[in-house]
Amino acid sequence: MIQSGKSDKIKVLVVDDSAVVRQVLQAALSQDPALEVIGAAADPLFAMERMKRQWPDVIVLDVEMPRMDGITFLGQLMREHPTPVIICSTLTEKGAATTLQALAAGAVHVITKPTVGIRDFLLDSANDLIAAVKTAARANMSNLRRSSPPVHQVQAAAVPASAEAMLRTTERIVAMGTSTGGTQALETVLTALPRVCAPIAIVQHMPAMFTAAFAERLNGLCQIEVREAKDGDRLLPGLALIAPGGKHLKLVRQGAQYYAEVFDGPLVNRHRPSVDVLFRSASQVVGRNGIGIIMTGMGGDGARGLKLMRDAGATTMAQDEASCVVFGMPKEAIKLDAADRVGGFPEIVELIRQA
């Protein structure tokens, strides 16, 4: 029989085939008195036995394990007992594709770990891990249970924007920012857009190595073209550019044309890329012709930048609480009166279509 326990602490279960990782994660999480590590398992089968006795509030899960991989386990969880899951994945190109499958299947957040120096890395990242667990515990799992958008929104194959459309110039630019829960949110919005729409620049909080795979996945689902932004890319109708992990993205203007500038720089709001960096640049170079949209995510990155966009005359929107996985970033934007409208996915899609 599953016991929920009477403790107010957030109960965490660690599932990883590495004994070192299990030990370090337990030590790191136990530093915070608000968390209680109720156990650690070497693979999902051991985890399921442990969960029969006490169900966790959050699971920290590896993806590559013996007997049952993390993706299969995650899918089973989401079908039978939706539970917030944080993926703890090795930072490799192969791992990036697998981790994106996990996010699509309902994982809340990703913590990357290197192939060497894991102990020191995880100990140094303890604060970020603790914050991720606390955020995951508050996640609205009902908004993460679907693994893909409705069928009618997805084409069997991506249809590239016409050459004529790509040659046209528009002064309407959409800037979007999102974090926790954003991979599914962006998939829902972008797959609903027609192949010709206003240019879109996106910051999704995501580690390096993952954004290219994420953009490639979306490009295969969407009618519009989606790719990872490169320095000097021109923003064109029917094109969405996603900021590379570990790099900032801002907009620059040359005459009537807009370009992406991808660059290194210090963390902004503890993030790189930062939504505020993108929104701030949009307020400066796009002004009232801009559309700023802030979506699901923890923290307040993007709120001040969205306010700058609104003050510059741009149309601004915050995702509503009902459709967010984590109503953090939109909530902070609303507090600052940065959004002139609040809505869910249909309203966000319609706003972009009208542009």
Side-chain angles (χ1 to χ4, degrees), residues 6-41:
K6 297 181 179 180
S7 172
D8 291 332
K9 293 184 177 183
I10 298 170
K11 298 181 289 295
V12 186
L13 177 66
V14 175
V15 186
D16 197 297
D17 63 330
S18 167
V20 171
V21 172
R22 294 197 301 272
Q23 179 186 30
V24 174
L25 286 176
Q26 289 184 86
L29 293 171
S30 298
Q31 295 177 23
D32 194 297
L35 308 183
E36 177 186 359
V37 180
I38 62 172

Side-chain angles (χ1 to χ4, degrees), residues 8 24 29 33 39 47 57 81 145 163 177 182 206 221 226 228 235 248 297 319 346:
D8 291 332
V24 174
L29 293 171
D57 298 311
H81 196 311
R145 293 186 66 176
M206 187 175 280
L221 293 171
V226 184
E228 187 181 57
L235 278 83
H248 287 304
Q319 186 178 354

Side-chain angles (χ1 to χ4, degrees), residues 85-89 99-100 102-103 107-112 132 206-207 210:
V85 171
I86 295 173
I87 294 296
C88 192
S89 174
T99 301
L100 287 175
L103 288 168
V108 174
H109 191 68
V110 176
I111 296 289
T112 59
M206 187 175 280
F210 289 89

Side-chain angles (χ1 to χ4, degrees), residues 161-185:
S162 67
E164 178 184 356
M166 295 298 283
L167 288 173
R168 291 202 301 264
T169 300
T170 178
E171 288 191 347
R172 298 289 278 175
I173 300 290
V174 179
M176 302 177 69
T178 183
S179 185
T180 311
T183 54
Q184 286 194 348

Side-chain angles (χ1 to χ4, degrees), residues 291-314:
I291 296 172
I293 303 171
I294 193 165
M295 299 174 68
T296 176
M298 62 182 287
D301 186 32
R304 289 188 293 272
L306 194 71
K307 182 63 165 64
L308 290 175
M309 288 189 69
R310 186 177 187 183
D311 291 345

Side-chain angles (χ1 to χ4, degrees), residues 11 22 47 95 100 129 147 157 187 197 202 208 217 263 268 344:
K11 298 181 289 295
R22 294 197 301 272
L100 287 175
L129 178 62
S147 61
E187 181 176 324
C197 66
I202 299 168
R217 181 178 186 278
F263 63 100
V268 176

Side-chain angles (χ1 to χ4, degrees), residues 268-281:
V268 176
N269 302 322
R270 299 177 62 248
H271 292 288
R272 187 177 54 240
S274 164
V275 182
D276 265 331
V277 170
L278 173 62
F279 284 175
R280 189 184 308 122
S281 70

